[in-house]
Structures are given as structure tokens and as C-alpha cells.
Amino acid sequence: MTALTPFTPAPLEAAWDEALGRALGRTVHPDALGTMVARQAARYRGEPVALSAADSLAARLRFWFPRDLTKVARPVAELVRARALPPRPLRVLDLGAGLGATSLGLVRALAGRHPVASITAVDVDPAALALLQRVNTEAVGAGLLPGDVALRTQCLDLAAPGAVASLPPHDLVLFG
């Protein structure tokens, strides 16, 4: 049995923080962010709390996105190490993509290791998908992600009859 080299994901670069801020298009004071995060967490628990759609997106992008972006790095390293990826550039399907932290994290983790041809990000929330597009544009512009990945978003309720059958062919499915 060969020893596996420990894998430590790279910390999120300050440039990512700047790119997320530009994509959001507004500055969020840390105290306000704390309140937004607490309210969004209460919503996740099913509690009825007041939180605007814009503040919900801000909390998700500024608090959860940076953490989720790096979560996929370890499983990606395992796929690479096991040579489990196809020999061609990947076609990725991200179901319930939200802001795209998992799919963009995959691209980040695979950069220089394996090409990604396309990502189809599917979610029921059009505002989240629009923000995903802006985050991707900012990250590519800042040199944080390769610019050759075709990102498509599709607003779709996956519970609707025939929804999954309407999706394009893919090599890897993400579901966060």
C-alpha cells in the first residue's frame, strides 16, 4: 500500500474577496453581515424572519460562498489521484447550483490538473444564477479561474416532470 500525500486546500486569496465584492456590487459592513448571516441561518432552519432578497444573496456570497468554494478541493484531489476523470475536458452539471461555489470550486481545484470544457449550473433561483455569472466574470477577469470554461445557467425546478431529462450530457454531476 502506498502512502497518500496529505492534501491541504489553498486558502482563499484576497483577490477572491475583492472579486466577490465587485460581483455583489455593494459593500457590506461586518456588523450588518453578521445580522444577515444570522437571519439567513434562521431561514435555513425554517424560521420566519425578515430578510430582503438582496441581503440574503449578500449573506450567502460573503459568508458561505468562500467556505464552500474550497470544500470541493479534497474530493477533486481524490478523483485526480485515482485517475477517475475522463481523458477529455469535463462537461459538468451542477444541480441546485445556487451561487456556484461548488462548480467554481471544482474549476479552481482542477486548474492546471484537468481541463473543464463547460458547466451547466441549474437552480430555481434566477437571482442566484445571475450572481453566479457575475462572480465567474470577476474571477476570470482577476485571473483566479481559467477563462475557457463555458458557463451556462438554467433556471429550472428539478422537481418538475421531465426536468432532469431536459439537461445536457455531462461527465460529472455536482449536487451541493
Side-chain angles (χ1 to χ4, degrees):
M1 181 175 190
T2 60
L4 294 178
T5 305
F7 178 77
T8 305
L12 199 59
E13 302 89 343
W16 267 102
D17 185 57
E18 294 166 10
L20 296 179
R22 286 190 305 272
L24 187 59
R26 68 186 250 214
T27 301
V28 179
H29 188 275
D31 292 339
L33 180 60
T35 300
M36 291 175 205
V37 168
R39 289 181 180 170
Q40 184 63 40
R43 276 189 170 179
Y44 286 152
R45 293 188 304 269
E47 299 171 23
V49 295
L51 184 65
S52 71
D55 286 353
S56 173
L57 285 173
R60 290 166 58 195
L61 185 69
R62 301 303 280 166
F63 182 77
W64 280 284
F65 185 96
R67 288 142 189 87
D68 292 344
L69 185 75
T70 61
K71 284 182 185 179
V72 73
R74 190 173 306 273
V76 166
E78 291 174 17
L79 289 171
V80 170
R81 190 172 26 252
R83 295 185 176 99
L85 299 173
R88 65 182 173 280
L90 290 175
R91 297 166 298 171
V92 178
L93 177 63
D94 189 352
L95 300 174
L99 302 177
T102 303
S103 52
L104 297 183
L106 172 89
V107 173
R108 179 179 185 255
L110 284 175
R113 295 175 168 201
H114 193 93
V116 176
S118 64
I119 295 171
T120 300
V122 179
D123 200 277
V124 71
D125 183 353
L129 292 173
L131 186 50
L132 162 55
Q133 287 281 9
R134 292 193 306 271
V135 168
N136 183 64
T137 298
E138 290 295 337
V140 168
L144 299 168
L145 293 175
D148 59 349
V149 178
L151 174 62
R152 296 177 201 84
T153 58
Q154 185 172 348
C155 192
L156 180 67
D157 180 356
L158 293 169
V164 174
S166 71
L167 299 172
H170 48 273
D171 301 306
L172 184 65
V173 178
L174 304 173
F175 189 76

